[in-house]
Amino acid sequence: MDWPLVTGVIYLLNTLFAIVVIFFERRNPTATLAWLMVLFFLPLVGFVLYLFLGQNYTRQRLFTLKEKDDATLRSIFEEQHRRFLESQHRFSNPEAERYRDVILALLRRNRAFLTEGNRVEIYTDGSELFDALFAAIRDACHHIHLEYFIVNNDELGREVVHVLAAKAAEGLEVRLLFDALGTRAGGGSRAAFRELTDAGGRIGVFFPSVYRINYRNHRKIAVIDGRIGFIGGFNIGDEYLGRGPLGYWRDTAVKITGQAVKMLQLRFFLDWNFTTGEYLRADPVYFPDPEGGGTTAVQIVSGGPDTRWNPVKEGYLKLINAARESVYLQTPYFIPDDSISDALLLAALSGVDVRLMIPCKPDHPFVYWATLSFAADLLDAGVRVYTYDNGFIHAKTVVVDGKAGSVGSANWDVRSFRLNFEANAFFYDAAVGEELKRRFIEDLALSTELTPERYGRRSRRIRFKESISRLFSPLG
């Protein structure tokens, strides 16, 4: 092989990529500089990384259709949106009134419609969550809609497919949407879902270009008969039951009954239509009147590379800035931008009790060491950081003052904020907030605090890992 020629071609391609990064993509300056450094100082590595992680110039072309579909279906709720803004509506619970500015910001920027009178149940254990999900599926009468980043071809994954196939055989509408890359990594393929499709169920494979790491559908949503909804951090696989190499799996999801289920259904419709081209219509059978009895105000907030803004991140920022007593957050991946870091630092310096819980072990080493480094940056301002020791924590939650918060699929990192499709439930209710806060405090007994002294004793090897991981963290 003519290595000088190959090297010259790579340098030429890297130069072209650099021109694209500077002049044709709307990246933030930090990401731009990081890409330029990688392309010029690590030519071969930069070339490979850009093929897998870069190429934002395809973003507009890839998601123009999705933007149009989103606008069309969301117009169903535009009249509700207009009335809400014009009527000075008084909320039914005091927490929603207290966080009115958070609600309005998400409503105006993301059309995240507020729903009231919801009932919310919190699940932090995989066995309990999947028991509830299976029970809802078995009781379904008309349709079952599931959307997950990962559906593994393992014991739990096959059990889910089997139960869905049985309902499809009964004549129910069953649709399962999964991300091509996430599910392929778990051993899933179209053949793994043959039992479901043979029974009459439908599958949708989001963004089949598995060589692209960006623009993945990271959402985890289930809607049963338009009356019961689930949203959170759990995917479908044995490790989410604690059967994987990381041990016990600590995550968070919520089951919702009430008006917010319509918003979860809408989110599924948007993603299903974009993925399959089937174009589900907003028939009333998919949006039934909900059962009452709840008190929680909920907004379903979704974001992704097809949105101009970063809605979930903006919601996180509004909650942090609204905190007066406490901010408790859990995430497996903490690679914040300056706005998130500054908000947490200012809250802590203002006397707010800010606590961050991250894993004690890596599932993705580069991400873990970057997470540890960024978390440690907050220590001097008084933020208390904990590593969860009882297995692996995958929860993506925040609760402020025990009164409002968020549970969903979005991590506190650049990938969730800009590159993946995410969905979170933002809630405003003291009962739900106190329950989420209580579970955080229970987790403290299973965690170790990362003090400045403990962090300062880390080895040179770990310091090197942190430095390299942090250098690559802006890429995307």
Side-chain angles (χ1 to χ4, degrees), residues 345-385:
L345 289 170
L346 286 172
L349 291 171
S350 301
V352 176
D353 179 16
V354 181
R355 305 192 187 201
L356 165 65
M357 190 175 294
I358 60 175
C360 71
K361 63 181 76 172
D363 63 335
H364 301 295
F366 273 102
V367 180
Y368 177 76
W369 297 117
T371 290
L372 190 64
S373 173
F374 281 105
D377 287 347
L378 306 176
L379 295 175
D380 288 342
V383 176
R384 301 182 70 178
V385 178

Side-chain angles (χ1 to χ4, degrees), residues 325-346:
E325 300 169 6
S326 62
V327 176
Y328 293 171
L329 68 94
Q330 296 172 315
T331 181
Y333 316 124
F334 183 73
I335 305 177
D337 61 12
D338 289 343
S339 62
I340 291 288
S341 293
D342 289 347
L344 292 170
L345 289 170
L346 286 172

Side-chain angles (χ1 to χ4, degrees), residues 277-306:
E278 179 182 345
Y279 208 81
L280 289 169
R281 299 291 178 179
D283 191 293
V285 71
Y286 298 114
F287 297 89
D289 291 332
E291 300 175 2
T295 61
T296 307
V298 175
Q299 286 177 292
I300 303 300
V301 179
S302 56
D306 59 331

Side-chain angles (χ1 to χ4, degrees), residues 175-232:
R175 296 178 177 88
L176 173 62
L177 175 62
F178 55 85
D179 183 83
L181 179 63
T183 295
R184 182 75 60 85
S189 65
R190 287 183 180 272
F193 303 98
R194 187 167 295 144
E195 181 185 6
L196 174 58
T197 55
D198 287 349
R202 297 284 308 280
I203 65 170
V205 184
F206 189 91
F207 200 3
S209 301
V210 295
Y211 74 92
R212 289 299 307 276
I213 296 176
N214 292 343
Y215 310 142
R216 308 317 313 190
N217 187 339
H218 197 239
R219 294 165 181 152
K220 300 102 163 93
I221 292 171
V223 180
I224 316 299
D225 286 341
R227 298 183 183 278
I228 298 173
F230 293 86
I231 185 172

Side-chain angles (χ1 to χ4, degrees), residues 28-39 41-42 45 49 53 335 365-371 373-374 377 414 418 462-476:
N28 64 57
T30 301
T32 298
L33 289 173
W35 271 117
L36 293 177
M37 289 177 61
V38 170
L39 288 170
F41 290 104
L42 299 171
V45 173
L49 282 176
L53 296 174
I335 305 177
F366 273 102
V367 180
Y368 177 76
W369 297 117
T371 290
S373 173
F374 281 105
D377 287 347
V414 64
R418 294 196 290 117
I462 292 178
R463 293 170 191 259
F464 177 77
K465 290 179 179 178
E466 286 184 8
S467 298
I468 296 299
S469 301
R470 191 175 181 120
L471 177 65
F472 284 94
S473 65
L475 300 183

